Amino acid sequence: MTDPILKGATPSPMPQRDVVMLASVLHLMSHYTARDEQDKPCVRLASVIERHLCALARLPDLDPVLRATCEQLCERWAALVDDAMPRPVKRNFLERIMKSSRVGTNPA
C-alpha cells in the first residue's frame, strides 16, 4: 500500500546524527506526556526538549518542512518552560529597605 501524498516524493537521506537527534526528541516528548495525572510537568525535561528542537531547527541539511516544524515547536516548548518557571516574589521598596536594615544589624 502506497501513500498518495508520498507517491512522487523522493526520500532524502538524513545524516545519522540528525536521525538520532530526531529520535531522541520524540522519545523525550513521549516521556513528557506519559506521566501520571498526579505528577506535575517536569520543567527540566521540557527544557531539554526545547533545546533539542532548537538544535534540530539549526541543522543546515534538514528538510525545510521539518526545520519549520522544529522552529514552531521550539517556540511552544520555550513558552511552556517559561510559564512553568517559578516567579520571583516582588517586594515593595519599603520591605526591601526593612529587610536589608535587619540583615545589617547584629544584636549582641
Side-chain angles (χ1 to χ4, degrees), residues 12 22 34 36-38 40 44 46 48 50 52 55-57 59 62 66-67 69 74 76 84 87 94 98 100 106:
S12 60
L22 183 58
D36 292 336
E37 294 170 3
Q38 296 89 7
K40 293 182 179 179
R44 286 184 183 175
V48 170
E50 178 213 352
H52 273 70
L56 277 167
L59 292 175
L62 199 63
L66 190 52
R67 180 180 297 118
T69 302
C74 179
R76 289 202 174 188
R87 301 288 178 228
L94 186 57
M98 296 301 289
S100 63
N106 186 9

Side-chain angles (χ1 to χ4, degrees), residues 4-72:
I5 295 174
L6 300 176
K7 187 176 181 182
T10 58
S12 60
M14 286 177 69
Q16 186 65 25
R17 65 177 165 78
D18 299 355
V19 172
V20 170
M21 189 175 290
L22 183 58
S24 298
V25 77
L26 292 172
H27 180 76
L28 292 169
M29 291 168 102
S30 68
H31 276 283
Y32 186 85
T33 59
R35 55 192 166 77
D36 292 336
E37 294 170 3
Q38 296 89 7
D39 293 339
K40 293 182 179 179
C42 180
V43 180
R44 286 184 183 175
L45 183 54
S47 178
V48 170
I49 291 169
E50 178 213 352
R51 287 195 309 266
H52 273 70
L53 288 166
C54 290
L56 277 167
R58 284 189 238 110
L59 292 175
D61 300 332
L62 199 63
D63 180 79
V65 174
L66 190 52
R67 180 180 297 118
T69 302
C70 288
E71 287 173 356
Q72 291 173 354

